[in-house]
Amino acid sequence: MVADKAVDSANKKQENMDVLTSTRAVVKLALEKLGYPDELYELLKEPLRMMAVRIPVRMDDGAIKVFTGYRAQHNDAVGPTKGGIRFHPDVTADEIKALSIWMSLKSGIVDLPYGGAKGGIVCDPRQMSFRELEGLSRGYVRAVSQIVGPTKDIPAPDVFTNSQIMAWMMDEYSRMDEYNSPGFITGKPIVLGGSHGRETATAKGVTIVLKEAAKKKGLDVKGARVIVQGFGNAGSYLSKFLHDEGAKVVGISDAYGALYDPDGLDIDYLLDRRDSFGTVTKLFNNTISNKELLECDCDIIVPAAVENQITEENAPKIKASIIVEAANGPTTRGATKILTERGILLVPDVLASAGGVTVSYFEWVQNNQGYYWSEKEIDEKLHEIMIRSFNSIYNLAESRRVDMRLAAYMIGVRKMAEASRFRGWV
Ligand code: GLU
């Protein structure tokens, strides 16, 4: 068992290294396609700043446990950096670096005045009490306080973090700063300066691009059979939105297993029974594995969980004609190639999941101006941005005969490359 765990964690480290390597490879290709010199790649292949911290927390049994955390700031040529903080046992430095590069690309794609950043803490929040999580959240903010702030680097939620954690972090920062700083972090509860529509933003953005992709493929979302892998923030809201649009959600999953029913699942029931970490399959006996789920019959797959789910091994067996990546990095590079060759339309993560950071930007703008918008205004603005971004990437992919991931990277990297040049960095 212990040996198994060691092997698992070694594999995870290797996978995270691969994620960084493949991200770099696509960034390099995108810069080459745009005709930029090698120096730009040298600048953009690593975050400008990477901080590793140790966070002591007194646990409920009285003992002190010391956690490791990271904050990577990829590039701040365009503006302050921005990106979420994840709490997960598999967090590694390389993964956080790759995620910070993806945040730069997302900001470039939806044209926000930000560079990318990402944070993470190696921990398992499912095994921690509320009090321990509060201590860890506050400790993280104290540890990274010198490099974050409303005009420097603005954190947000990510895997296994939520509005309560953002609230503790904002409170801790405000105490240190000695004034109320809602613009320090986004994804806050509404009463603390959070934005309408932030909680559902990633899922709404995914729904918008999924509908555009379906149009391109001549597929009607009404009645389309969809598999959603992951039932966390993105996956659960997305299942609900697609179900409400008339799609048939035939498969869902969580970290422990998956459910598949060709006649469609009872999404409202599953949403009602899921816990705050998105766990629901434990309540059922007839589960299948996540791996099996991805090979089931369907029209659309939305991976909304973690990295490296669609690989060279299962890509040839996938039945869907559209894949929309709601998670960060769910498809490996080799798998992207196979899927593209098979004519499957792959809407890449840096585009599909950019709704979250877009509404985070709206939240920050509202905090800075002290004037708040209605949900309707937020929805309209998000809709316009997602449609525009989808079309510019789709059209570039068509005209340059590249896959949508490379087209997305080309658009995502351009503003940051130009800003770095104007500043005289390269
Ligand atoms: N963690 C989210 C992402 O990966 C949101 C980041 C943000 O809102 O700043 O896009």
Side-chain angles (χ1 to χ4, degrees), residues 82-84 103 106 118 154 156-158 186 198 328 353 356-357 360:
K82 173 119 193 64
M103 285 313 302
K106 285 189 207 186
K118 199 74 168 201
I154 305 116
D158 198 79
T186 59
R198 176 61 188 90
N328 289 307
S353 70
V357 70
S360 270

Side-chain angles (χ1 to χ4, degrees), residues 120-169:
I121 302 177
V122 188
C123 66
D124 191 347
R126 291 164 294 192
Q127 312 293 335
M128 293 171 71
S129 71
F130 231 54
R131 200 198 60 79
E132 291 168 344
L133 281 173
E134 178 174 353
L136 182 60
S137 305
R138 291 184 185 276
Y140 178 81
V141 170
R142 288 194 301 275
V144 299
S145 63
Q146 282 172 356
I147 63 164
V148 293
T151 55
K152 287 197 242 173
D153 178 14
I154 305 116
D158 198 79
V159 175
F160 289 165
T161 53
N162 56 21
S163 58
Q164 174 61 76
I165 290 175
M166 301 304 109
W168 289 323
M169 290 188 169

Side-chain angles (χ1 to χ4, degrees), residues 77-143:
V78 171
T81 52
K82 173 119 193 64
I85 300 169
R86 60 175 55 186
F87 284 9
H88 200 279
D90 296 334
V91 162
T92 67
D94 276 348
E95 178 201 32
I96 298 300
K97 284 183 183 179
L99 284 158
S100 76
I101 301 178
W102 290 335
M103 285 313 302
S104 284
L105 296 168
K106 285 189 207 186
S107 293
I109 287 167
V110 287
D111 199 11
L112 308 179
Y114 294 136
K118 199 74 168 201
I121 302 177
V122 188
C123 66
D124 191 347
R126 291 164 294 192
Q127 312 293 335
M128 293 171 71
S129 71
F130 231 54
R131 200 198 60 79
E132 291 168 344
L133 281 173
E134 178 174 353
L136 182 60
S137 305
R138 291 184 185 276
Y140 178 81
V141 170
R142 288 194 301 275

Side-chain angles (χ1 to χ4, degrees), residues 391-409:
N391 284 317
S392 60
I393 290 171
Y394 187 86
N395 294 339
L396 184 68
E398 292 274 286
S399 68
R400 297 289 297 263
R401 293 176 189 283
V402 295
D403 61 57
M404 273 187 86
R405 190 181 316 280
L406 181 52
Y409 274 52

Side-chain angles (χ1 to χ4, degrees), residues 192-347:
L192 292 180
S195 177
H196 288 293
R198 176 61 188 90
E199 178 85 8
T200 51
T202 309
K204 269 198 186 148
V206 175
T207 309
I208 296 165
V209 295
L210 181 146
K211 283 163 74 180
E212 288 305 294
K215 265 192 231 161
K216 299 286 182 201
K217 279 275 183 189
L219 183 75
D220 195 350
V221 171
K222 239 189 205 92
R225 295 162 310 151
V226 189
I227 286 176
V228 180
Q229 189 206 24
F231 217 47
N233 170 282
S236 61
Y237 282 119
L238 179 71
S239 303
K240 173 77 182 144
F241 294 151
L242 292 175
H243 179 68
D244 292 349
E245 292 274 347
K248 206 193 269 182
V249 181
V250 291
I252 63 112
S253 76
D254 58 25
Y256 305 96
L259 298 170
Y260 179 78
D261 182 345
D263 296 325
L265 295 163
D266 185 346
I267 292 303
D268 289 323
Y269 174 74
L270 294 172
L271 287 172
D272 195 47
R273 301 304 305 273
R274 77 186 267 280
D275 72 10
S276 61
F277 294 107
T279 308
V280 71
T281 64
K282 278 184 172 169
L283 302 170
F284 298 84
N285 294 323
N286 54 338
T287 56
I288 56 173
S289 70
N290 264 280
K291 201 166 163 280
E292 286 166 320
L293 178 71
L294 295 175
E295 293 170 22
C296 286
D297 224 6
C298 67
D299 301 305
I300 303 173
I301 295 181
V302 184
V306 285
E307 290 107 73
N308 296 320
Q309 297 302 298
I310 305 179
T311 60
E312 276 169 70
E313 196 194 315
N314 60 4
K317 300 179 204 147
I318 277 176
K319 315 255 182 341
S321 58
I322 299 173
I323 296 176
V324 184
E325 296 180 333
N328 289 307
T331 315
T332 65
R333 231 181 136 215
T336 301
K337 190 161 171 276
I338 296 170
L339 297 171
T340 309
E341 278 163 10
R342 291 186 56 208
I344 295 171
L345 180 57
L346 182 97
V347 185

